[in-house]
Amino acid sequence: MILSIDPGINNCGLSILNLNSQFEVKETWLVKNARKFTEEEKIIEAKFGNRTVKVISIINKIKEILSIYPNVYSFIIEAPFYNALTPTAYGSLLEIIFSIKYLIIIPNNLEMRLIEPLMVKKLFSNQHLASKEVIKQFLHKKRDNKEIIISKEIDELSEHEIDSIAIGYVHYLSLLEENANVSSSN
């Protein structure tokens, strides 16, 4: 199983995916950090800032997921991107990704792969700059075509959960391509 992640400091989408015989979405979560902090979190915020509270929240959710799904062997994460309109978001993305890498992936000897956002849009929807709604429509289409097995109602998923599925799907496509290349070279 893999854990696919759409990192975001305020909204982080997470998906557990089974890639054994077909692409199956086992479970999804949204870590929603645009919220009122608990009293304990307010103490941490006062000392280290609100970004620290939000990163800890994401790390704790991932640890919880790994306790439920201990056979996760790989993390597929959307690569950080710089947007001139939101330059501080890049720093948040780096902090989330590095925290996951150093606090979870390395200590547990897991695999990690970063996938570029534009590649996700292009390979998932065949559109280089697909909107969130287009990505959602393609998830419906892929479910209906039985390319993706998902039991959750797609219209109830957040855009971040949907993105985490799309990120994992692009990884799945790369695995299929690698296997085809190995088969053709033998």
Side-chain angles (χ1 to χ4, degrees):
M1 298 223 181
I2 67 167
L3 179 59
S4 184
I5 303 173
D6 176 31
I9 198 74
N10 289 320
N11 294 292
C12 181
L14 304 159
S15 297
I16 286 288
L17 308 170
N18 184 355
L19 309 182
N20 286 342
S21 59
Q22 199 173 354
F23 187 91
E24 180 184 8
V25 180
K26 298 296 277 182
E27 187 64 65
T28 67
W29 298 267
L30 174 66
V31 178
K32 194 169 179 75
N33 279 322
R35 59 181 170 78
K36 193 172 185 173
F37 292 155
T38 66
E39 291 305 314
E40 182 181 286
E41 289 173 328
K42 288 178 184 176
I43 294 168
I44 296 168
E45 178 187 26
K47 189 168 184 176
F48 300 106
N50 73 350
R51 188 188 285 183
T52 301
V53 174
K54 293 174 180 186
V55 171
I56 289 170
S57 177
I58 294 166
I59 294 299
N60 286 340
K61 185 62 177 182
I62 292 171
K63 287 179 178 179
E64 177 188 322
I65 292 167
L66 291 177
S67 72
I68 298 167
Y69 293 96
N71 53 347
V72 168
Y73 63 89
S74 185
F75 280 56
I76 309 305
I77 305 172
E78 186 174 64
F81 58 93
Y82 181 79
N83 183 337
L85 299 175
T86 56
T88 58
Y90 184 73
S92 296
L93 291 172
L94 287 177
E95 191 166 349
I96 293 165
I97 292 167
F98 286 139
S99 294
I100 293 168
K101 180 179 180 178
Y102 293 117
L103 296 174
I104 297 175
I105 293 171
I106 292 173
N108 292 293
N109 197 28
L110 301 170
E111 298 172 6
M112 175 179 149
R113 179 168 180 209
L114 297 175
I115 298 185
E116 294 298 323
L118 289 177
M119 182 180 287
V120 172
K121 291 177 186 294
K122 182 179 178 185
L123 294 178
F124 192 76
S125 69
N126 299 321
Q127 296 182 25
H128 213 65
L129 297 173
S131 68
K132 299 291 184 185
E133 190 55 39
V134 168
I135 296 291
K136 184 180 194 177
Q137 290 169 2
F138 270 85
L139 180 56
H140 276 285
K141 182 179 175 182
K142 289 179 187 312
R143 182 209 51 209
D144 295 345
N145 292 341
K146 306 216 183 317
E147 291 175 58
I148 293 177
I149 299 169
I150 181 169
S151 59
K152 276 191 162 181
E153 181 53 49
I154 292 170
D155 291 328
E156 294 176 10
L157 298 176
S158 70
E159 66 184 61
H160 309 286
E161 291 166 286
I162 292 170
D163 283 350
S164 70
I165 294 168
I167 293 160
Y169 188 78
V170 170
H171 172 68
Y172 176 69
L173 292 177
S174 71
L175 293 176
L176 292 177
E177 185 177 321
E178 287 171 19
N179 289 339
N181 289 339
V182 168
S183 295
S184 67
S185 67
N186 289 336

